[in-house]
Amino acid sequence: MRRERNSLNAMRRGTKRRRTGFTLVEALITLLLVAVLLPLVMKGVSSAAQLGVLADRRSQAATLADTRLTEAILAGDWEEGDQAGEFDPEVYGSDAEDFQWYLLVDDWNGLTSHKEVTVVGTWQQRNREQSMSMATVVFSEVL
């Protein structure tokens, strides 16, 4: 009987019991990795959100500048020279109230018969002035 007990104990020692769960070291390493990586991931998400807002504002500014440039060419406003103003929310929509515009007129490549007309749309974002410009060349008849 004694031999049987010894052989049973030997068999038990030879086979390993499979444990479930994590060890303390594994859990601490996981927490350390999360603590290091989480701020990096959050900064990336924050940067992506800021870039998305900037892209949206640039798109709005480009649309407004293009519209103002078209109006200036069709109405002949560009012939009056440099001008500045704000986009009227009643005309351009409520999204336009944060944008301003500058209309700049200059000779194109030194030719007085051709004028470069540029509209620059500006806005404030994160305490910095941002801008988007649109330009075209028009023929100016010299009388």
Side-chain angles (χ1 to χ4, degrees):
M1 176 108 116
R2 212 175 246 235
R3 271 189 172 171
E4 289 177 16
R5 282 188 190 166
N6 287 340
S7 63
L8 283 175
N9 287 338
M11 285 178 29
R12 285 184 192 155
R13 277 185 257 138
T15 60
K16 294 183 179 180
R17 279 185 32 200
R18 187 166 187 107
R19 295 183 185 188
T20 59
F22 297 105
T23 65
L24 179 61
V25 172
E26 291 171 334
L28 290 175
I29 290 173
T30 303
L31 287 174
L32 180 65
L33 284 173
V34 169
V36 169
L37 294 177
L38 189 62
L40 296 174
V41 170
M42 292 307 295
K43 185 173 182 169
V45 169
S46 175
S47 294
Q50 290 173 3
L51 289 173
V53 170
L54 179 61
D56 184 50
R57 299 293 279 180
R58 282 188 182 273
S59 176
Q60 288 175 327
T63 301
L64 291 168
D66 184 51
T67 302
R68 181 65 189 110
L69 181 61
T70 302
E71 290 172 351
I73 300 301
L74 293 176
D77 295 345
W78 64 272
E79 294 175 3
E80 298 172 17
D82 295 351
Q83 303 167 34
E86 295 183 0
F87 290 101
D88 184 2
E90 291 181 15
V91 175
Y92 298 98
S94 62
D95 291 340
E97 64 185 333
D98 298 332
F99 294 89
Q100 296 80 36
W101 58 267
Y102 301 95
L103 185 121
L104 309 169
V105 181
D106 199 9
D107 291 339
W108 182 68
N109 287 340
L111 300 172
T112 56
S113 61
H114 292 76
K115 301 289 183 185
E116 180 179 20
V117 181
T118 305
V119 173
V120 180
T122 63
W123 71 98
Q124 291 289 323
Q125 186 168 350
R126 297 185 54 139
N127 298 324
R128 293 176 55 191
E129 184 174 89
Q130 304 286 333
S131 66
M132 170 64 71
S133 63
M134 294 288 216
T136 191
V137 176
V138 294
F139 179 71
S140 171
E141 293 186 34
V142 180
L143 298 176

